[in-house]
Amino acid sequence: MFAKLPIVFFTALLLFTACGSDPKDNGGVPDPDQPGTVASDVDLFITTANGSRKFFHDSIAFNSKPNMSPYTITLNPAESYQVMEGFGAAITGSTCYNLLKMSAGDRARLLKETFDPVSGMGYSYIRISMGCSDFSLSEYTHCDTKGIENFALHTEDKTYVIPVLKEILAIRPDIRIMASPWTCPKWMKVNNLTEKKPFDSWTSGQLNPAYYQDYATYFVKYIEAMKSEGINITSVTIQNEPLNRYNSASLYMTWQEQRDFIKTALGPAFRSSGIQSKIIVYDHNYNYDADRAENKDQIDYPLHIYSDPEAAQYIDGAAYHAYGGDKSELADVHARNTSKNLYFTEISIGSWGYSFADDLMWNMNEVCLGTINNWAKAVIVWNFMLDANHGPNRPGGCTTCYGAIDIQSDYKTMTRNSHYYTIGHLAKVIAPGAKRIATTGYKATGLYYAAFVNPDASYAAVMQNDTDKPLNITLADGSHTFTFEVSAKSVVSVKWK
């Protein structure tokens, strides 16, 4: 790893008490008894870095007098950019294990709070591992006995991952799901592409080209097996962190290998099998881990693959992580090939210096608004839930990560971390299918924002004030204006029609 309908008012306080949470930790469900929560024209959701408000819901009215404010931002839906696909977190094996340790009632309330688009935050895109990850209970693939005829969904997926996915789908049937392998089956590995000696290790190694067809069949069988469970896989990446040999489960895969695998095996296999899942390449850091000597020729990884029309015909786009480099790489890749899409698929928080206040600001600026304003169609953070020991996790993977939610050993008391809220601020007001649109007007150092028009013709905006002073902002859509305060060091999401 190194992820116009009025808003319904909800009953958060009882919910969070039942789940054992801090009453200040409002999660994804606003409380109708909070001061200032009245039915009106515009819904606002507010989170402050100091934690005084966490996804606090408020409503305000449109301005009744002509707008003369110099702090006006005007939406321009005539100029639009990418169509958004969704926002969420990784539902890893560890996440599912922890969720299933909760009582059924507590888990149901939390999942509804997170995924319900009306009464909750409305998370809309999740990422799962195809086989194990560094956040599984063991290392495995779905075909650990040699021979593709031995493919079968692994017990860990059937015991933990699939039951949780079914509970999520019962709440949000249209949720998008991205699947990413951490490794191919070990019997498909070789030590390198010159010697091609068998490589019996979960970590590192390369895919033997002699097994390209079998591995393509593995993808097809996985997607079909999940579909038979009622789970549709929206998209797949070819390999999690293909330039990182050192994870607990990993596979080194250059752009040359991904290109050849896609054009000679995976793309044709999807086409002949009628698989509609999108093929997404890369899935690694902005800087292509170019500080490692073997990766020097891997800069611009997806662009090299796009330059081969036989491979490019099968590819939807590329995915990126934020453990190295800068989000501006997304804009550069988009400018050089506007026909392909971009996705942000992983970032974690952990014990290496996390604070709610600092990461709320950093994550919203660099990952959420930052990637969206650089053409990303989706934003997915890493583990949705980990336990008090940062796991369960695998040796060799991240043993210091936090989840978007951390749960204590009673499997009841939870801490909702910054990632939980930053994703919620996007998912609550930006529906799948929304278009990012242009804005004109007021700008200020430390003020970041993006605006959208949703499929139901409602408008949405997400704003971050990273300054030490509150800002009074007016938004205008050509028909209405409204004015609201964006507190110092805070995030505000708004939605109106």
Side-chain angles (χ1 to χ4, degrees):
M1 47 153 301
F2 18 46
K4 169 181 173 178
L5 293 177
I7 304 297
V8 178
F9 297 156
F10 323 110
T11 53
L13 191 57
L14 291 176
L15 185 154
F16 297 128
T17 301
C19 288
S21 299
D22 183 341
K24 290 182 180 180
D25 196 357
N26 293 47
V29 185
D31 181 358
D33 298 322
Q34 292 173 349
T37 304
V38 294
S40 197
D41 300 310
V42 183
D43 286 289
L44 297 88
F45 299 87
I46 305 160
T47 300
T48 56
N50 65 13
S52 61
R53 289 184 171 185
K54 292 182 176 178
F55 217 71
F56 177 95
H57 179 222
D58 205 351
S59 297
I60 59 173
F62 292 137
N63 293 334
S64 58
K65 296 180 180 179
N67 174 47
M68 303 295 290
S69 171
Y71 309 110
T72 299
I73 298 167
T74 301
L75 278 60
N76 178 17
E79 183 179 344
S80 63
Y81 309 108
Q82 76 270 34
V83 175
M84 308 309 300
E85 291 197 12
F87 311 98
I91 305 299
T92 59
S94 298
T95 286
C96 295
Y97 175 85
N98 290 323
L99 285 168
L100 290 171
K101 295 284 279 186
M102 298 174 70
S103 73
D106 285 353
R107 182 174 65 255
R109 283 186 287 271
L110 176 63
L111 294 179
K112 188 172 180 64
E113 169 195 317
T114 303
F115 293 99
D116 193 306
V118 177
S119 65
M121 284 180 162
Y123 276 38
S124 49
Y125 211 145
I126 57 178
R127 183 171 177 241
I128 62 175
S129 60
M130 190 186 305
C132 71
S133 72
D134 47 324
F135 285 91
S136 298
L137 302 184
S138 67
E139 285 78 24
Y140 67 92
T141 72
H142 300 293
C143 194
D144 289 330
T145 300
K146 186 174 182 178
I148 196 62
E149 67 276 8
N150 295 310
F151 179 96
L153 291 176
H154 193 273
T155 300
E156 281 198 31
D157 274 28
K158 292 190 287 186
T159 303
Y160 301 108
V161 179
I162 290 172
V164 169
L165 293 180
K166 288 181 176 180
E167 290 188 22
I168 292 170
L169 284 163
I171 297 166
R172 178 134 205 180
D174 65 343
I175 196 154
R176 288 163 166 82
I177 302 174
M178 176 183 291
S180 304
W182 263 238
T183 181
C184 64
K186 289 193 294 180
W187 55 269
M188 297 185 185
K189 285 187 175 187
V190 291
N191 61 333
N192 58 59
L193 298 186
T194 301
E195 298 175 321
K196 295 183 181 177
K197 295 180 179 178
F199 193 76
D200 186 21
S201 173
W202 292 110
T203 301
S204 191
Q206 291 176 263
L207 177 64
N208 187 343
Y211 290 120
Y212 276 6
Q213 301 303 322
D214 280 351
Y215 198 37
T217 301
Y218 178 94
F219 274 77
V220 170
K221 284 181 174 290
Y222 174 80
I223 292 167
E224 291 176 340
M226 293 296 277
K227 186 175 183 178
S228 72
E229 295 285 347
I231 299 165
N232 291 319
I233 302 300
T234 307
S235 58
V236 295
T237 65
I238 308 303
Q239 170 62 37
N240 173 71
E241 298 193 348
L243 302 180
N244 176 11
R245 294 182 180 273
Y246 306 102
N247 209 337
S248 61
S250 54
L251 179 75
Y252 188 75
M253 202 177 205
T254 63
W255 66 258
Q256 294 93 333
E257 292 171 86
Q258 283 206 7
R259 175 199 62 196
D260 293 347
F261 174 60
I262 291 167
K263 75 177 183 179
T264 67
L266 188 64
F270 274 25
R271 180 170 290 172
S272 64
S273 301
I275 298 293
Q276 299 299 309
S277 304
K278 297 176 181 179
I279 295 174
I280 299 172
V281 300
Y282 192 48
D283 204 12
H284 203 169
N285 292 333
Y286 298 134
N287 66 352
Y288 308 101
D289 281 17
D291 54 327
R292 292 174 178 161
E294 66 179 338
N295 295 337
K296 293 298 183 183
D297 67 341
Q298 297 301 304
I299 295 172
D300 294 333
Y301 191 117
L303 293 166
H304 290 297
I305 304 176
Y306 300 160
S307 68
D308 186 314
E310 290 184 71
Q313 65 178 317
Y314 300 113
I315 297 167
D316 175 80
Y320 281 84
H321 301 179
Y323 303 115
D326 185 79
K327 62 187 181 297
S328 61
E329 179 64 15
L330 298 178
D332 179 63
V333 170
H334 172 78
R336 293 164 67 186
N337 192 316
T338 59
S339 68
K340 300 301 183 186
N341 295 313
L342 290 164
Y343 301 83
F344 183 86
T345 50
E346 191 181 312
I347 187 66
S348 186
I349 48 178
S351 59
W352 49 83
Y354 169 81
S355 76
F356 181 91
D358 289 345
D359 191 75
L360 184 78
M361 292 292 100
W362 185 90
N363 187 259
M364 181 55 69
N365 182 19
E366 293 294 326
V367 172
C368 295
L369 290 173
T371 66
I372 289 170
N373 284 329
N374 282 280
W375 294 94
K377 292 171 67 75
V379 179
I380 305 171
V381 296
W382 194 209
N383 291 281
F384 176 68
M385 177 181 280
L386 293 179
D387 66 20
N389 296 313
H390 316 295
N393 52 49
R394 306 308 305 149
C398 181
T399 58
T400 55
C401 287
Y402 298 153
I405 296 174
D406 288 329
I407 194 161
Q408 299 304 306
S409 57
D410 61 2
Y411 293 100
K412 188 175 186 70
T413 307
M414 294 179 287
T415 300
R416 294 166 175 82
N417 293 318
S418 54
H419 280 185
Y420 184 73
Y421 294 103
T422 54
I423 293 297
H425 272 278
L426 302 176
K428 185 61 182 176
V429 299
I430 309 166
K435 291 182 179 179
R436 180 169 70 95
I437 59 176
T439 59
T440 58
Y442 181 65
K443 299 182 184 297
T445 300
L447 176 67
Y448 310 101
Y449 53 85
F452 309 83
V453 59
N454 284 308
D456 67 354
S458 63
Y459 289 113
V462 180
M463 313 195 79
Q464 174 189 2
N465 178 4
D466 198 15
T467 76
D468 294 325
K469 295 181 180 179
L471 298 172
N472 284 314
I473 302 296
T474 297
L475 287 181
D477 63 16
S479 300
H480 306 97
T481 66
F482 58 94
T483 303
F484 58 101
E485 182 182 270
V486 185
S487 301
K489 300 289 184 180
S490 73
V491 177
V492 177
S493 296
V494 294
K495 185 177 181 181
W496 74 99
K497 191 162 186 178

